[in-house]
Amino acid sequence: MAESRDDLAESLQNLFTSVSTMVKSELQGTNNHLDLLEKMNLRVASEFDDLGDVAAGLRVFAEQMKSKSGGFDEFVGQIDAIEKQVSEFEAVISVLDRYVSVLESKIRTEYRHPHRRSNDSVVTD
């Protein structure tokens, strides 16, 4: 009976040792996962810091561009004025072009029928 108690005690000891080893391994695995998550969080935080620096740089760049573009407002106004003048000139040119076309037509008619004009007018010397 003492021998079976020793076997039982040894088996229980092995069982507790195995369970302890298993729990210890599970806890170590969980710790490893937590360490990995911590490293990933630190890496992501570092990336976000870098992106924050980039965003700050872009904000400064945008402000510089805005201040520089203010100087172009005067030129934009001048360009608009020039465009208006060009439109007005185009309208005048269109009127003159129609007038020239009418004159050309009259001249062609006169050259085709020169005797009509000479009979109609009176020449005085």
Side-chain angles (χ1 to χ4, degrees):
M1 188 119 187
E3 192 176 301
S4 73
R5 272 189 157 175
D6 289 341
D7 285 342
L8 180 60
E10 187 178 329
S11 293
L12 286 173
Q13 182 64 33
N14 286 339
L15 175 67
F16 288 134
T17 303
S18 295
V19 168
S20 174
T21 302
M22 182 185 76
V23 169
K24 189 177 182 181
S25 295
E26 287 290 323
L27 290 174
Q28 185 61 43
T30 301
N31 281 340
N32 290 344
H33 278 83
L34 292 174
D35 287 342
L36 177 63
L37 284 173
E38 181 183 14
K39 288 176 184 175
M40 290 171 65
N41 282 338
L42 291 173
R43 174 63 186 225
V44 169
S46 171
E47 298 259 339
F48 278 124
D49 284 343
D50 292 345
L51 289 176
D53 293 342
V54 169
L58 287 175
R59 184 173 5 104
V60 168
F61 177 72
E63 289 172 2
Q64 289 173 347
M65 294 305 292
K66 185 177 178 181
S67 68
K68 288 180 182 179
S69 70
F72 292 121
D73 290 342
E74 177 186 341
F75 297 117
V76 170
Q78 291 175 356
I79 290 171
D80 289 342
I82 290 170
E83 284 180 358
K84 183 179 177 188
Q85 289 175 348
V86 167
S87 296
E88 292 170 356
F89 286 142
E90 286 175 345
V92 169
I93 288 170
S94 176
V95 169
L96 290 175
D97 188 45
R98 285 193 301 264
Y99 181 71
V100 167
S101 294
V102 168
L103 287 177
E104 286 176 346
S105 175
K106 286 182 179 181
I107 291 172
R108 282 189 196 120
T109 302
E110 185 63 34
Y111 280 131
R112 284 186 203 150
H113 307 291
H115 61 283
R116 283 186 186 170
R117 185 71 180 147
S118 62
N119 292 339
D120 294 342
S121 63
V122 177
V123 179
T124 59
D125 287 331

